[in-house]
Amino acid sequence: MQKFLNSEEIVVPAGGEDTGKRLPSRRVFAARAERLRQLAKGHAMEDFLAFAARLADAQQNVLDRHGHAFQEKSRPDAAHLARCRQHGIPPLDAQGGPVPAEWVDVLHALATEVVPHSPAGLQNAIAELPDFPAERLHALARAILRAEEDLGNPVELALAPLIGASLQVLWTARALALQPCDIPAGFEGSLCPTCGSQPVASILRIDPAGQGVRYATCSLCACEWQVTRNKCVPCRNTCDIAYLSPAGEAATLCPAVEAETCPACHRSLKIASMETDPLVDAFADDLATLALDMQADQAGFHRAGRNLFLFAP
Ligand SMILES: [Zn+2]
Ligand SMILES: [Zn+2]
């Protein structure tokens, strides 16, 4: 088993101070790709996870090549950052403002990288990409950022994971241009304090004292923010929180993942524990445990996490 997380990535928040927030690693997509390849072996969804690994590899390549230029173009100014800190507003808000113009460059760079490895449906959709008016592409991006369900025709639906992946690259590049002190502090929210998006899942990390500390992982910018254990992230309820463990094959392949279920809002959010498996990745382990979502759903708890590689409106 190849180890891809170093000890710094496991225990030390970005910036070296414990602010309850962690900026993403510069190798976040490479780490996800490695984890996805590891989880794909012998998995019932091996082909899907292997493609997801290719897409994450392509995300890392585009981030490595273009990330710095994207950061330069879209870093918020000091006045905006100060205003956001003062009022507790996410400085890279993905819900309200327009999608930065350079996003289309990220999308095309990612499409070029991934097209040789794509399933036929995505290859055909990518072939139509040059004919899409920029306005329509931006409307699709905004719909995905706002988690709107009506994406339009089948080609647009086929492109959705690629668009989601390209938005992740851009927002991660933008987050990497921030300091931990740029992110509003002092609240424990249901949404990412950096960009206002939903979490994909949560992760139990190990702090320097050897204690488990829980963070929610952003579905878009890959920042993490500290959340309380045994407390529902979407609605903050603390009563009668319970946990579902994977059954069947998933119990062997992903023993470190559980679904936290909340009887107040009837939702569930996964927790991937580094205490059980130090190599877990919230995003990758979420994709590999979709059977656990079905278990939770059958028990009456709807999936709260959002994964931009999954599109089933
Ligand atoms: Zn975020
Ligand atoms: Zn709840």
Side-chain angles (χ1 to χ4, degrees), residues 4 13 17-18 39 47 58 75 77 82 98 114 121 126 150 179 194 227 244 273 297:
F4 55 82
E17 51 183 305
D18 186 0
L39 293 168
D47 288 350
R75 182 179 156 76
D77 63 32
V114 88
I126 288 174
D150 182 16
Q179 301 292 324
T194 305
V227 291
L244 271 177
S273 172
D297 206 58

PDB file of all heavy atoms in Angstrom, residues 4 13 17-18 39 47 58 75 77 82 98 114 121 126 150 179 194 227 244 273 297:
ATOM      1  N   PHE A   4       0.501   8.185   0.904  1.00  0.00           N
ATOM      2  CA  PHE A   4       0.584   9.448   0.183  1.00  0.00           C
ATOM      3  C   PHE A   4       0.330  10.642   1.076  1.00  0.00           C
ATOM      4  O   PHE A   4       0.479  11.772   0.652  1.00  0.00           O
ATOM      5  CB  PHE A   4      -0.385   9.468  -1.008  1.00  0.00           C
ATOM      6  CG  PHE A   4      -1.794   9.175  -0.641  1.00  0.00           C
ATOM      7  CD1 PHE A   4      -2.607  10.165  -0.142  1.00  0.00           C
ATOM      8  CD2 PHE A   4      -2.301   7.898  -0.778  1.00  0.00           C
ATOM      9  CE1 PHE A   4      -3.907   9.893   0.209  1.00  0.00           C
ATOM     10  CE2 PHE A   4      -3.612   7.625  -0.428  1.00  0.00           C
ATOM     11  CZ  PHE A   4      -4.421   8.621   0.063  1.00  0.00           C
ATOM     12  N   PRO A  13      -2.898  21.936  11.042  1.00  0.00           N
ATOM     13  CA  PRO A  13      -3.709  22.798  10.193  1.00  0.00           C
ATOM     14  C   PRO A  13      -2.828  23.717   9.349  1.00  0.00           C
ATOM     15  O   PRO A  13      -1.710  24.034   9.753  1.00  0.00           O
ATOM     16  CB  PRO A  13      -4.539  23.614  11.184  1.00  0.00           C
ATOM     17  CG  PRO A  13      -4.398  22.933  12.497  1.00  0.00           C
ATOM     18  CD  PRO A  13      -3.092  22.212  12.470  1.00  0.00           C
ATOM     19  N   GLU A  17      -1.202  27.042  12.756  1.00  0.00           N
ATOM     20  CA  GLU A  17      -1.908  27.390  13.990  1.00  0.00           C
ATOM     21  C   GLU A  17      -3.269  26.718  13.970  1.00  0.00           C
ATOM     22  O   GLU A  17      -3.854  26.517  12.921  1.00  0.00           O
ATOM     23  CB  GLU A  17      -2.070  28.911  14.094  1.00  0.00           C
ATOM     24  CG  GLU A  17      -2.661  29.505  12.837  1.00  0.00           C
ATOM     25  CD  GLU A  17      -2.766  31.010  12.892  1.00  0.00           C
ATOM     26  OE1 GLU A  17      -3.375  31.496  13.842  1.00  0.00           O
ATOM     27  OE2 GLU A  17      -2.279  31.674  11.978  1.00  0.00           O
ATOM     28  N   ASP A  18      -3.763  26.398  15.147  1.00  0.00           N
ATOM     29  CA  ASP A  18      -5.025  25.680  15.200  1.00  0.00           C
ATOM     30  C   ASP A  18      -6.180  26.662  15.167  1.00  0.00           C
ATOM     31  O   ASP A  18      -6.604  27.209  16.169  1.00  0.00           O
ATOM     32  CB  ASP A  18      -5.075  24.828  16.470  1.00  0.00           C
ATOM     33  CG  ASP A  18      -6.318  23.958  16.448  1.00  0.00           C
ATOM     34  OD1 ASP A  18      -7.090  24.042  15.469  1.00  0.00           O
ATOM     35  OD2 ASP A  18      -6.519  23.211  17.403  1.00  0.00           O
ATOM     36  N   LEU A  39      -9.040   2.122  -3.563  1.00  0.00           N
ATOM     37  CA  LEU A  39     -10.388   1.640  -3.251  1.00  0.00           C
ATOM     38  C   LEU A  39     -11.016   0.891  -4.425  1.00  0.00           C
ATOM     39  O   LEU A  39     -11.910   0.061  -4.240  1.00  0.00           O
ATOM     40  CB  LEU A  39     -11.287   2.825  -2.857  1.00  0.00           C
ATOM     41  CG  LEU A  39     -10.936   3.520  -1.542  1.00  0.00           C
ATOM     42  CD1 LEU A  39     -11.704   4.834  -1.422  1.00  0.00           C
ATOM     43  CD2 LEU A  39     -11.252   2.621  -0.348  1.00  0.00           C
ATOM     44  N   ASP A  47     -14.764   0.177 -12.315  1.00  0.00           N
ATOM     45  CA  ASP A  47     -14.556   1.024 -13.498  1.00  0.00           C
ATOM     46  C   ASP A  47     -14.866   2.488 -13.179  1.00  0.00           C
ATOM     47  O   ASP A  47     -14.147   3.393 -13.593  1.00  0.00           O
ATOM     48  CB  ASP A  47     -15.455   0.563 -14.659  1.00  0.00           C
ATOM     49  CG  ASP A  47     -14.968  -0.758 -15.237  1.00  0.00           C
ATOM     50  OD1 ASP A  47     -13.857  -1.192 -14.857  1.00  0.00           O
ATOM     51  OD2 ASP A  47     -15.714  -1.359 -16.027  1.00  0.00           O
ATOM     52  N   ALA A  58      -6.250  14.306 -13.582  1.00  0.00           N
ATOM     53  CA  ALA A  58      -6.322  15.432 -14.527  1.00  0.00           C
ATOM     54  C   ALA A  58      -6.508  16.748 -13.764  1.00  0.00           C
ATOM     55  O   ALA A  58      -5.909  17.770 -14.123  1.00  0.00           O
ATOM     56  CB  ALA A  58      -7.480  15.207 -15.506  1.00  0.00           C
ATOM     57  N   ARG A  75      -7.782  36.358  -6.907  1.00  0.00           N
ATOM     58  CA  ARG A  75      -7.617  36.568  -5.464  1.00  0.00           C
ATOM     59  C   ARG A  75      -8.413  37.805  -5.031  1.00  0.00           C
ATOM     60  O   ARG A  75      -8.303  38.878  -5.620  1.00  0.00           O
ATOM     61  CB  ARG A  75      -6.139  36.755  -5.119  1.00  0.00           C
ATOM     62  CG  ARG A  75      -5.932  36.926  -3.622  1.00  0.00           C
ATOM     63  CD  ARG A  75      -4.472  37.086  -3.218  1.00  0.00           C
ATOM     64  NE  ARG A  75      -4.384  37.775  -1.944  1.00  0.00           N
ATOM     65  CZ  ARG A  75      -4.639  37.222  -0.760  1.00  0.00           C
ATOM     66  NH1 ARG A  75      -4.987  35.961  -0.688  1.00  0.00           N
ATOM     67  NH2 ARG A  75      -4.557  37.924   0.353  1.00  0.00           N
ATOM     68  N   ASP A  77      -9.508  41.146  -3.024  1.00  0.00           N
ATOM     69  CA  ASP A  77      -8.658  42.213  -2.484  1.00  0.00           C
ATOM     70  C   ASP A  77      -8.804  42.282  -0.959  1.00  0.00           C
ATOM     71  O   ASP A  77      -9.699  41.673  -0.363  1.00  0.00           O
ATOM     72  CB  ASP A  77      -8.953  43.557  -3.160  1.00  0.00           C
ATOM     73  CG  ASP A  77     -10.373  44.033  -2.908  1.00  0.00           C
ATOM     74  OD1 ASP A  77     -10.917  43.735  -1.831  1.00  0.00           O
ATOM     75  OD2 ASP A  77     -10.939  44.704  -3.792  1.00  0.00           O
ATOM     76  N   ALA A  82     -11.341  41.658   4.502  1.00  0.00           N
ATOM     77  CA  ALA A  82     -11.612  42.247   5.829  1.00  0.00           C
ATOM     78  C   ALA A  82     -13.110  42.288   6.097  1.00  0.00           C
ATOM     79  O   ALA A  82     -13.573  41.980   7.204  1.00  0.00           O
ATOM     80  CB  ALA A  82     -11.013  43.657   5.886  1.00  0.00           C
ATOM     81  N   PRO A  98     -20.890  35.891  -9.698  1.00  0.00           N
ATOM     82  CA  PRO A  98     -20.699  35.237 -10.990  1.00  0.00           C
ATOM     83  C   PRO A  98     -19.522  34.249 -10.927  1.00  0.00           C
ATOM     84  O   PRO A  98     -18.663  34.358 -10.053  1.00  0.00           O
ATOM     85  CB  PRO A  98     -20.368  36.403 -11.927  1.00  0.00           C
ATOM     86  CG  PRO A  98     -19.819  37.464 -11.038  1.00  0.00           C
ATOM     87  CD  PRO A  98     -20.471  37.291  -9.698  1.00  0.00           C
ATOM     88  N   VAL A 114      -8.672  14.653 -19.901  1.00  0.00           N
ATOM     89  CA  VAL A 114      -9.395  13.462 -19.467  1.00  0.00           C
ATOM     90  C   VAL A 114     -10.077  12.718 -20.616  1.00  0.00           C
ATOM     91  O   VAL A 114     -10.441  11.556 -20.471  1.00  0.00           O
ATOM     92  CB  VAL A 114     -10.403  13.846 -18.341  1.00  0.00           C
ATOM     93  CG1 VAL A 114     -11.732  14.287 -18.890  1.00  0.00           C
ATOM     94  CG2 VAL A 114     -10.540  12.728 -17.329  1.00  0.00           C
ATOM     95  N   GLY A 121     -20.018   8.048 -23.274  1.00  0.00           N
ATOM     96  CA  GLY A 121     -21.008   9.114 -23.095  1.00  0.00           C
ATOM     97  C   GLY A 121     -20.346  10.457 -22.850  1.00  0.00           C
ATOM     98  O   GLY A 121     -20.747  11.484 -23.421  1.00  0.00           O
ATOM     99  N   ILE A 126     -18.028  15.740 -24.576  1.00  0.00           N
ATOM    100  CA  ILE A 126     -16.859  16.631 -24.682  1.00  0.00           C
ATOM    101  C   ILE A 126     -16.688  17.094 -26.136  1.00  0.00           C
ATOM    102  O   ILE A 126     -16.309  18.245 -26.387  1.00  0.00           O
ATOM    103  CB  ILE A 126     -15.583  15.934 -24.153  1.00  0.00           C
ATOM    104  CG1 ILE A 126     -15.649  15.811 -22.624  1.00  0.00           C
ATOM    105  CG2 ILE A 126     -14.323  16.698 -24.562  1.00  0.00           C
ATOM    106  CD1 ILE A 126     -14.515  15.005 -21.995  1.00  0.00           C
ATOM    107  N   ASP A 150     -32.244  20.948 -12.036  1.00  0.00           N
ATOM    108  CA  ASP A 150     -32.621  20.881 -13.441  1.00  0.00           C
ATOM    109  C   ASP A 150     -31.454  21.341 -14.312  1.00  0.00           C
ATOM    110  O   ASP A 150     -31.228  22.522 -14.512  1.00  0.00           O
ATOM    111  CB  ASP A 150     -33.848  21.772 -13.689  1.00  0.00           C
ATOM    112  CG  ASP A 150     -34.285  21.690 -15.142  1.00  0.00           C
ATOM    113  OD1 ASP A 150     -33.843  20.749 -15.835  1.00  0.00           O
ATOM    114  OD2 ASP A 150     -35.068  22.556 -15.567  1.00  0.00           O
ATOM    115  N   GLN A 179      -4.835  32.778   3.310  1.00  0.00           N
ATOM    116  CA  GLN A 179      -4.228  32.371   4.579  1.00  0.00           C
ATOM    117  C   GLN A 179      -5.369  31.911   5.495  1.00  0.00           C
ATOM    118  O   GLN A 179      -6.507  32.383   5.334  1.00  0.00           O
ATOM    119  CB  GLN A 179      -3.530  33.574   5.243  1.00  0.00           C
ATOM    120  CG  GLN A 179      -2.440  34.205   4.407  1.00  0.00           C
ATOM    121  CD  GLN A 179      -1.248  33.274   4.250  1.00  0.00           C
ATOM    122  OE1 GLN A 179      -0.907  32.549   5.179  1.00  0.00           O
ATOM    123  NE2 GLN A 179      -0.661  33.272   3.071  1.00  0.00           N
ATOM    124  N   THR A 194     -15.200  29.046   3.756  1.00  0.00           N
ATOM    125  CA  THR A 194     -14.413  29.669   2.688  1.00  0.00           C
ATOM    126  C   THR A 194     -15.272  29.991   1.463  1.00  0.00           C
ATOM    127  O   THR A 194     -15.145  31.064   0.878  1.00  0.00           O
ATOM    128  CB  THR A 194     -13.250  28.740   2.263  1.00  0.00           C
ATOM    129  OG1 THR A 194     -12.475  28.421   3.416  1.00  0.00           O
ATOM    130  CG2 THR A 194     -12.372  29.394   1.205  1.00  0.00           C
ATOM    131  N   VAL A 227     -15.848  20.520  13.209  1.00  0.00           N
ATOM    132  CA  VAL A 227     -17.226  20.342  13.671  1.00  0.00           C
ATOM    133  C   VAL A 227     -17.209  19.387  14.871  1.00  0.00           C
ATOM    134  O   VAL A 227     -16.288  18.590  15.022  1.00  0.00           O
ATOM    135  CB  VAL A 227     -18.152  19.787  12.555  1.00  0.00           C
ATOM    136  CG1 VAL A 227     -18.378  20.820  11.460  1.00  0.00           C
ATOM    137  CG2 VAL A 227     -17.609  18.499  11.961  1.00  0.00           C
ATOM    138  N   LEU A 244     -24.511   4.374  11.333  1.00  0.00           N
ATOM    139  CA  LEU A 244     -24.707   3.174  10.523  1.00  0.00           C
ATOM    140  C   LEU A 244     -23.353   2.764   9.969  1.00  0.00           C
ATOM    141  O   LEU A 244     -22.632   3.589   9.396  1.00  0.00           O
ATOM    142  CB  LEU A 244     -25.621   3.496   9.336  1.00  0.00           C
ATOM    143  CG  LEU A 244     -27.125   3.362   9.496  1.00  0.00           C
ATOM    144  CD1 LEU A 244     -27.794   3.800   8.192  1.00  0.00           C
ATOM    145  CD2 LEU A 244     -27.493   1.918   9.820  1.00  0.00           C
ATOM    146  N   SER A 273     -12.829   7.789   9.278  1.00  0.00           N
ATOM    147  CA  SER A 273     -11.979   7.896  10.460  1.00  0.00           C
ATOM    148  C   SER A 273     -10.530   7.531  10.184  1.00  0.00           C
ATOM    149  O   SER A 273     -10.219   6.410   9.769  1.00  0.00           O
ATOM    150  CB  SER A 273     -12.521   6.978  11.561  1.00  0.00           C
ATOM    151  OG  SER A 273     -11.596   6.932  12.635  1.00  0.00           O
ATOM    152  N   ASP A 297     -30.637   5.526   3.414  1.00  0.00           N
ATOM    153  CA  ASP A 297     -31.885   5.934   2.783  1.00  0.00           C
ATOM    154  C   ASP A 297     -33.022   4.977   3.167  1.00  0.00           C
ATOM    155  O   ASP A 297     -34.138   5.410   3.480  1.00  0.00           O
ATOM    156  CB  ASP A 297     -31.691   5.974   1.266  1.00  0.00           C
ATOM    157  CG  ASP A 297     -32.642   6.951   0.617  1.00  0.00           C
ATOM    158  OD1 ASP A 297     -32.592   8.144   0.992  1.00  0.00           O
ATOM    159  OD2 ASP A 297     -33.453   6.527  -0.228  1.00  0.00           O
TER     160      ASP A 297
END
